[in-house]
Amino acid sequence: MSNYVPSNQARHLRACMVCSIVQLQSRFVRDGCPNCESFLDLANHPDAVQECTSQVYEGLITLAEPGSSWVAKWQRLDQYVPGVYAVKVVGMLPEEILQQLEDAGVRYVPRDGSAQDDDA
C-alpha cells in the first residue's frame, strides 16, 4: 500500500501520539496504527483515532530502514515499521489509554518533548 499523500489531503494527516507515525485519518480508521494496533485498537474506531492521534505535530522523518538508522534510534523509532514519522506530536492521551498502555506493558514516552530522557 502506498504512503503517497496528495498535497490537497495534507490537512487530513494525523500523527499517532504513541509512536508518532503520520498517516491520513482515514487510514488510521481503516487499518489502525501499524505499530500500536495490538494495544490501541484504532481500526474501525474513529473515536479512538481522535483520542490517540493528533493533527498538531512538528517535523517529519522518513524511514526506509528503521533498524539501521541512527536517526530512528535517536527518535526511538528503530523498532517500528518503515514510514513517515513526526519529530514531535502535540497532545495528551486520555487517562484510560495510559492505563491500557501500562496494562499491556508498553513504556509510554510522550512525543511532545515534555519527558526527560532517562536513557542518557
Side-chain angles (χ1 to χ4, degrees), residues 3 6 14 17 19 22-23 27 40 44 60 64 77-78 88 102 119:
N3 286 328
R14 299 185 70 86
M17 285 193 249
C19 72
V22 176
Q23 301 184 130
R27 189 162 180 189
L40 288 183
N44 301 311
L60 292 173
L77 303 171
D78 53 323
K88 286 187 177 183
E102 187 176 318
D119 293 342

Side-chain angles (χ1 to χ4, degrees), residues 17-19 91-93 98 101 106-112 115:
M17 285 193 249
V18 177
C19 72
M92 294 188 60
L93 288 170
L98 293 173
L101 295 175
V106 175
R107 181 175 172 257
Y108 173 64
V109 178
R111 297 278 177 180
D112 62 1

